[in-house]
Each structure stands twice: as structure tokens, then as C-alpha cells.
């Protein structure tokens, strides 16, 4: 599937509106919800924040929770994207030896690093239920979303943990 060019501009406007209203983890949460609701091939959407050498799940939206709420940077597709500082698209998770299984239905995954002041501070992780669900249009769109989330993730890191 793809993200059509006509969809990206209105989606980014909506995301800008969310980020003007909310900050930190609330902003991350609302962006996850918006992405999942707006794009049918985004079945599960999460934002991980990099804390030292561990990816910590800050926000997510989807039908089920994941057991992978903390992922060491040397593990998983998520770890690979953070280590290498680049977007990773896995067309078929069944043939990726590093893949950490979360949901039975997942067939493909895209993980997009979020940078702040040049450093990777987190990532967007999206799961899909069909093989090859993500292409260059998803990468381009989500890299733009990741750039917009930079401040929210940096603020989430300095915020006190939720009560
Ligand atoms: N599949 C990921 C783990 C996170 S879940 O998809 C939510 C990985 O291989 O790193």
C-alpha cells in the first residue's frame, strides 16, 4: 500500500495542529492515534524513546498491547533502526532473523528514527498485516512525521514519569 500525495499535506496539517495543542507523551499518543485512524495499513502504531541503550515504549495505539515495552538497542528491527539511524522496512517479518514478534497477524513493519539535535532520540514503529505493506511513500511521509515529533520526544524524556 502507499500513502497518496494528496493525503500527506492534510495529514501533516492535522499533526501540526496536534503538536500546537499537546506536548511530550500526550502529543505522541495523539499522533499514534491519528496515524492509525487515518491510514488503514497502519494496524499498530507506537513511539519508542531511546533511554541510554534501551528503547522505551512511550505511546501506542492499536488493537493489542505489546509485551516489548523495553527493547535493548542491540535487539529487534527497532534496535536496528536506532543503531543504524535509518528507516528500516521489513517486507516479511517471517524472514527477518532479528524480528521480535509482537502480534500473530503482523507480516510487515516500518521503523523510522526520530532525531533531536542530530541524535537519534526515538522512533516510530508501525506494524501491518500484509506482506510488503510499506514502500517509499510511507518512508517519506513518516520521516516527515518523525521530524515533527522531535521536540515532543525530547520533552517526554525530561518529563517526570506519569503518576
Ligand atoms: N517487532 C519489533 C518489536 C516491537 S513490536 O512490533 C511492537 C522489533 O522487531 O523490534
Amino acid at each position: 500500500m502507499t500513502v497518496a500525495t494528496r493525503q500527506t499535506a492534510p495529514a501533516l496539517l492535522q499533526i501540526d495542529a496536534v503538536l500546537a495543542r499537546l506536548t511530550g507523551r500526550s502529543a505522541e499518543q495523539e499522533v499514534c492515534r491519528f496515524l492509525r485512524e487515518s491510514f488503514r495499513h497502519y494496524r499498530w502504531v507506537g513511539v519508542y524513546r531511546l533511554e541510554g541503550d534501551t528503547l522505551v515504549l512511550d505511546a501506542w495505539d492499536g488493537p493489542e498491547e505489546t509485551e516489548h515495552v523495553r527493547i535493548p538497542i542491540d535487539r529487534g528491527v527497532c534496535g536496528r533502526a536506532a543503531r543504524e539511524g535509518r528507516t528500516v522496512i521489513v517486507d516479511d517479518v517471517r524472514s527477518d532473523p532479528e524480528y521480535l514478534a509482537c502480534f500473530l497477524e503482523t507480516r510487515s513493519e516500518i521503523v523510522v528514527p526520530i532525531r533531536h539535535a542530530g541524535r537519534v532520540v526515538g522512533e516510530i514503529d508501525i506494524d501491518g498485516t500484509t506482506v510488503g505493506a510499506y514502500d517509499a511513500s510511507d518512508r517519506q511521509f513518516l520521516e516527515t512525521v518523525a521530524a515533527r515529533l522531535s521536540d515532543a520526544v525530547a520533552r517526554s524524556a525530561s518529563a517526570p514519569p506519569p503518576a
Side-chain angles (χ1 to χ4, degrees):
M1 279 206 234
T2 68
V3 174
T5 315
R6 66 179 156 71
Q7 292 177 289
T8 57
L12 291 171
L13 281 177
Q14 296 261 20
I15 288 170
D16 283 342
V18 169
L19 295 172
R21 183 159 63 78
L22 300 171
T23 174
R25 201 166 296 165
S26 320
E28 295 168 359
Q29 180 64 53
E30 185 57 19
V31 170
C32 288
R33 196 199 58 74
F34 171 76
L35 287 174
R36 178 162 179 263
E37 179 189 271
S38 307
F39 299 95
R40 273 200 313 129
H41 60 312
Y42 296 171
R43 178 178 182 270
W44 188 95
V45 181
V47 170
Y48 285 89
R49 179 170 44 81
L50 187 59
E51 203 176 274
D53 283 342
T54 305
L55 291 156
V56 180
L57 185 63
D58 248 3
W60 63 276
D61 194 75
E64 302 156 62
E65 62 185 344
T66 174
E67 67 186 87
H68 297 295
V69 292
R70 295 177 70 86
I71 303 174
I73 200 173
D74 60 354
R75 297 198 57 208
V77 179
C78 288
R80 193 193 314 158
R83 273 194 320 271
E84 297 181 0
R86 62 174 184 92
T87 296
V88 175
I89 294 177
V90 178
D91 285 336
D92 189 340
V93 295
R94 292 169 296 187
S95 52
D96 191 305
E98 278 191 303
Y99 171 68
L100 297 173
C102 288
F103 316 113
L104 272 181
E105 299 84 355
T106 296
R107 289 293 173 269
S108 46
E109 183 162 9
I110 181 167
V111 186
V112 181
I114 299 168
R115 287 191 184 71
H116 187 76
R119 281 187 318 112
V120 174
V121 292
E123 58 192 30
I124 302 170
D125 175 25
I126 299 183
D127 282 34
T129 54
T130 55
V131 169
Y134 308 119
D135 64 15
S137 68
D138 296 281
R139 172 199 301 259
Q140 195 175 18
F141 170 60
L142 292 170
E143 286 179 353
T144 312
V145 176
R148 282 172 159 76
L149 278 174
S150 168
D151 281 343
V153 174
R155 276 173 200 241
S156 158
S158 53

